[in-house]
Amino acid sequence: MARSPRPPRTVVVAAWLLLGYGVLSLLRLWWFGAGLPGSVTGWVIWAVSLLVFAGIARSLYAGHNFTRWMVAVIVAVSAVLMPVYKPELPTGVHLPVYLLQFVLPVLATVLTFTPSARAWFVRPVGNSG
């Protein structure tokens, strides 16, 4: 069974959600945290962070099963540990952004395990692509 040349919508949406999560994380730091980076090093860290999320999104888009499982494990561990490290929810304007930041990677992970997405991540034996 050959793979289609394009990923299913669920994978495309999951990739965009993870990229959006990375952008939202930096925006949250800017809006509610330390503000914009004050040094070249800080800007480099922000750029590398965006590149990492873009790389993960691209890897999902390309159908790398290892990336799908890596994201699933990281999201699952984070969801379990979140109540330990962040036992209280923020209030006011922070709350919807915080909840969105929690939901985006969970939803992206769920989307990568739908039947159409699973078919995208399974490569036929003998396929070098």
Side-chain angles (χ1 to χ4, degrees):
M1 176 170 123
R3 279 187 357 163
S4 69
R6 303 182 86 168
R9 283 189 187 155
T10 53
V11 174
V12 173
V13 170
W16 279 106
L17 288 175
L18 284 175
L19 186 59
Y21 169 79
V23 170
L24 183 61
S25 297
L26 293 176
L27 289 175
R28 189 166 172 250
L29 278 174
W30 173 35
W31 293 332
F32 308 123
L36 291 173
S39 67
V40 171
T41 303
W43 283 107
V44 168
I45 291 170
W46 275 39
V48 168
S49 298
L50 285 176
L51 288 174
V52 166
F53 279 102
I56 292 169
R58 177 68 181 112
S59 185
L60 286 177
Y61 188 85
H64 296 133
N65 195 39
F66 176 79
T67 303
R68 174 177 72 140
W69 282 100
M70 179 189 69
V71 168
V73 167
I74 291 170
V75 168
V77 168
S78 298
V80 169
L81 292 178
M82 190 179 90
V84 174
Y85 289 104
K86 186 71 171 162
E88 72 286 338
L89 288 175
T91 58
V93 174
H94 296 254
L95 183 60
V97 175
Y98 182 81
L99 293 176
L100 184 60
Q101 196 173 9
F102 178 77
V103 169
L104 287 178
V106 172
L107 183 57
T109 301
V110 169
L111 287 173
T112 64
F113 285 92
T114 61
S116 63
R118 280 196 308 258
W120 176 250
F121 289 106
V122 175
R123 295 177 190 256
V125 176
N127 184 3
S128 63

